[in-house]
Every structure is written in structure tokens, then in C-alpha cells.
Amino acid sequence: MNLRVLRTELRRSVAPWAGVVVLVPSLAFLYLVDAAWWRDTTAWTAQWTPMAMWTRSLLYYLWPLAVGLGALQGLRDHRSKMYELLTSTPRPARHRAAVLTGTTALTLTTAFALLVLVGAVQVWGNTGYTHAGWLPISLVGAFFLVAGATLGMGAGRALPSALTPPALAMTAFVFTVLMHASLGRTETATSSGIPLTEPNQVSLLSPTVEEVRDALLTLSASVHLGQTVWLLGMATTGFVLLIASTRAARLIAVTPLLAGGVAALLVLPSDPARMYVVDKAAAEPVCAGPVCVTTTQRARLDGLAGPGKEALRLLHTALGDRAPVSVRENAAVLPWGSTPRWSRESVLFEFDDAMISGVTGEKLTRALIAQAMVPMCVPTGWSGTAADPAAQSVAVAWVTGDLEPLAGTGFSAAEQTAAARPVWQDLKALPQDEQLARISAMRTTALSCEGDPLAALKGGASR
């Protein structure tokens, strides 16, 4: 297809509008809606993989539109009443189909690439960790748009009716919804008995992805491979439908779609833990002495090193040999609703923790001490109670000597002080050995995530 043919196709087809529909509403959606894609380390402009995942998640709406617009494109010859004339020309049908699909594929791919480019430019200025692991996520996303539009074109040619485009778009949307609402999810429960649903193998036939909840999570290679097989079958069926001239040929054209779906299910992982996996390179620790962060956050290491080392010094003074010896960003990604796992040897923290994010200097030191003494044990994705920051405030006061409310707990200073001051006064009135015993009991309860740390600190039953 030369440039003259391309210009002609762009003028007489809906391909340019397909590109506009992909690009403009997507940017408007991302920039006008204040939602999860603007927050914390998983913001779409913060890291490469979250950027690719968030733009890919927009296919929840864009892919059905691409299918519908493809069907509208497939109706062009029927609407112009030129189908019989074109089939009588010596030019092979596959050449005409290639021009039609190629033009639409070019505009859709360009639009999606521009969307990714907008995010990439911002990510480039916000992170010190650059890698190519995000590219397959975006490439498969663009392929979903192209394959969906090609299938829509073939269906529009095979079913030349004004109702075909909206019907196909709605069918594609219902398919996507079902993949993320019922058919594509399996009910399960966490180790603590909390019910939840997880994506299953069938959900990976959908163009979109799960909501981004951790910057270290990415799609596995088997997911990319399986989805590519599925899309090859989809695109082949669409192309064959475009050139098929008999009913039998149209029926046979469905074979690649079915075969691609079956082959994809044989390749796609069935275990949710093998669908969304931790990027090992991104999770590699980068350290300044005993203070470590993941590679994705290495730009924050300088600001963390000083307060982290000071927190370790104060903890060693207060706890002696029982004190942790390192500060590390928590690279473990647990399922939603799971109970956190903490360590006695290391202070594990997350930059998305409101107590850590946005604080520096002494406040950051106090937040790390709180995390070392009384780490939060609420299930992943849940919130705590006023007793949690109260226990943390008392623990930090015991290490530093000053009772002060902590920032980022979700509770006001008055609420924290009202719960913590009586406990702090009672603790200070005890002999030093008894204070250490209660602090140790509280820390043991908190680290094991079994019982109430504040109750242990008061000297009562921790369960």
C-alpha cells in the first residue's frame, strides 16, 4: 500500500475517526477524573509498568468501540452499493481487504501509541528506573485494538446490516464486563477466611487488565504469549470474513477464532499467582548501608537513608539485641485481603503508606520506628482502628521519650492522644524491667498479627 492509496483510504473510511475515538476520550478520562491512576507509586505517570497497565486498562471501553467501528468500516462497500462491482474487478479480494485493514490498523496503533507516549514522557521525568519490560503490555494492547477492529470489519462484511455495528460493540462490551464480573473470576478465601474473588484463566481472553495495586506487579510472559495466540486467531477470522464470498467460506472463517481461543487457553496460566507476577528486576534491592529500597524507588534512597539509620540507632538503644538491623522497602506483594507478614530483623515499609509518603527528617524517623515496633496487621487493602496508631504512638514515645501523634494514620491528633496518653502514663509509672516486658509483648503480638498490641501493652490479654 503506497502513500497515494493510504491517503485515499483515509479520506473515504472511518479509520481516522477510529483513531480519534481511541486517543481523545482516553486522555480526557485520564486527566479529568481524579482516581487511582493519579495516586501513590502506582500512578500512571510514576513508573513504566503502571503506565502501561493503566493505559491498557482503558481497553475495557476502547476495545468494544474498536470492534463497532470496524464493523462500520466493513459495511462501506454495502452502503455504497459497490460490492458486486468490486468483486468483478481483477484485483484480488485479499488486496482490497489488506488495504482496508491496514489503514484502520495504522490509525488505531498510532492513536494508542500517542496515548502511551503522553504517559511515557511524564514517567521519564519522574523515575530513575528505565526498562523495556512494559513494552509487551502495550504492544499486546495495541494488537487487541487491531484484531478487534479486523474482526468487526469481517463481521460487518458478512452481516451487512445497520444494526451490526452497535450489536457487535455491545456484544464486545458485555464480553469484557463478564470477564471481569463473573465468568472471568473465581471465588476464594484468604488464609484468614476473608472471602474474595481472583481472576481465572478465561479472564485473560479479555483485552483489559486488573486494577494496578502495586508498582512491582506485571503480566507474565505466558500471558503475553497466550493473548497473542488468541489475537492472531481473532484477526485471521476477521480477515477471512472480509474476503469470503460464500456462506460455507464464512462458516469456515470462524475456525481460526475458535482454534486461537482453545490454543490460548492451553498456553495461558491457570494460577492467579502466575498471571500477575512480581518483576524481579524491579524488586531488586538498592542499599545505602542498612537502608534498602527496590530498584524502582532508588531515586528516593538518599532521602530515606539518614532517617532510616537514625531510626535503627534509636531502636538499638531502646531494645538492645532485640532491635532490627535494617530498613527495607517491602517487596512482597500479597493477595487482596491477606494478612501482612513482618520481620523482627528488618523494618519493612511501603512508600504508599500514608505515614511514610510525603514525610522527611524527624517525622520519617518516627514513622519508621512506629513501623518497627507496631506494624499494622490489618488485611491488605483494609483500614485499621484507633487502637493501632495509639499503640504506635506509645511505642515511639517509649523509644524517643516524647509522646506525639503520628501523621498519616487517618485519625486526628486528638483521637490518638485521647487513646494513647493514659496508656503512656501507666507505662511510664512502671519499673524499667516491666516496661521492657510489656513493650516486648506488644511487639511480639504486632509482628505475629495475632491479638491486640494495645491490650498487650496495657498488660492484659493480647487475644
Side-chain angles (χ1 to χ4, degrees), residues 143-225:
F143 195 8
F144 258 108
L145 290 173
V146 172
T150 303
L151 181 64
M153 281 185 272
R157 177 66 61 83
L159 302 170
S161 168
L163 298 177
T164 299
L168 277 178
M170 183 56 65
T171 300
F173 181 70
V174 170
F175 171 80
T176 306
V177 170
L178 290 177
M179 290 299 100
H180 289 265
S182 57
L183 295 180
R185 303 197 71 84
T186 302
E187 291 187 4
T188 183
T190 64
S191 56
S192 56
I194 299 173
L196 73 158
T197 61
E198 293 181 318
N200 59 33
Q201 191 177 28
V202 178
S203 71
L204 298 175
L205 298 179
S206 167
T208 189
V209 295
E210 296 288 298
E211 182 175 328
V212 184
R213 61 184 183 87
D214 196 290
L216 298 178
L217 280 182
T218 187
L219 291 170
S220 65
S222 57
V223 172
H224 299 316
L225 179 59

Side-chain angles (χ1 to χ4, degrees), residues 98-382:
V99 171
L100 190 65
T101 57
T103 304
T104 304
L106 178 62
T107 55
L108 287 173
T109 303
T110 301
F112 192 72
L114 289 174
L115 173 64
V116 172
L117 181 62
V118 171
V121 169
Q122 297 174 87
V123 171
W124 185 269
N126 290 335
T127 183
Y129 174 55
T130 302
H131 63 103
W134 61 275
L135 278 173
I137 302 173
S138 295
L139 291 174
V140 173
F143 195 8
F144 258 108
L145 290 173
V146 172
T150 303
L151 181 64
M153 281 185 272
R157 177 66 61 83
L159 302 170
S161 168
L163 298 177
T164 299
L168 277 178
M170 183 56 65
T171 300
F173 181 70
V174 170
F175 171 80
T176 306
V177 170
L178 290 177
M179 290 299 100
H180 289 265
S182 57
L183 295 180
R185 303 197 71 84
T186 302
E187 291 187 4
T188 183
T190 64
S191 56
S192 56
I194 299 173
L196 73 158
T197 61
E198 293 181 318
N200 59 33
Q201 191 177 28
V202 178
S203 71
L204 298 175
L205 298 179
S206 167
T208 189
V209 295
E210 296 288 298
E211 182 175 328
V212 184
R213 61 184 183 87
D214 196 290
L216 298 178
L217 280 182
T218 187
L219 291 170
S220 65
S222 57
V223 172
H224 299 316
L225 179 59
Q227 289 182 336
T228 300
V229 171
W230 162 238
L231 294 175
L232 286 172
M234 185 186 301
T236 302
T237 289
F239 191 82
V240 174
L241 284 174
L242 271 174
I243 63 177
S245 58
T246 65
R247 180 175 298 179
R250 294 187 184 106
L251 291 174
I252 295 173
V254 181
T255 303
L257 180 66
L258 299 177
V262 172
L265 291 175
L266 294 176
V267 175
L268 293 169
S270 57
D271 182 2
R274 293 174 53 230
M275 299 175 189
Y276 295 86
V277 297
V278 173
D279 185 339
K280 294 181 179 179
E284 279 291 315
V286 178
C287 301
V291 181
C292 301
V293 298
T294 61
T295 301
T296 58
Q297 302 298 333
R298 61 189 178 193
R300 299 191 183 190
L301 180 58
D302 291 341
L304 180 72
K309 292 175 182 177
E310 177 64 11
L312 291 175
R313 185 189 69 80
L314 292 171
L315 286 166
H316 181 74
T317 301
L319 296 174
D321 294 339
R322 302 177 185 179
V325 296
S326 65
V327 175
R328 293 192 293 113
E329 182 185 357
N330 191 0
V333 181
L334 300 177
W336 188 270
S338 298
T339 302
R341 301 168 187 168
W342 304 116
S343 168
R344 284 186 176 275
E345 290 73 28
S346 298
V347 182
L348 299 178
F349 73 95
E350 296 178 358
F351 282 110
D352 286 345
D353 187 337
M355 293 179 61
I356 303 295
S357 176
V359 298
T360 58
E362 183 182 351
K363 289 185 178 180
L364 181 54
T365 297
R366 294 177 65 86
L368 291 171
I369 293 173
Q371 188 65 16
M373 299 294 286
V374 192
M376 290 292 190
C377 281
V378 292
T380 304
W382 291 38

Side-chain angles (χ1 to χ4, degrees), residues 22 78 127 210 251 269 311 416 432:
V22 166
H78 177 76
T127 183
E210 296 288 298
L251 291 174
Q416 293 183 56
Q432 188 65 29

Side-chain angles (χ1 to χ4, degrees), residues 69-108:
L69 288 169
L72 185 63
Q73 180 83 308
L75 289 176
R76 185 182 66 182
D77 294 343
H78 177 76
R79 293 197 313 271
S80 62
K81 303 185 185 323
M82 293 180 59
Y83 182 70
E84 291 79 4
L85 175 62
L86 291 173
T87 55
S88 65
T89 62
R91 188 182 185 188
R94 63 180 181 275
H95 288 182
R96 296 194 304 273
V99 171
L100 190 65
T101 57
T103 304
T104 304
L106 178 62
T107 55
L108 287 173

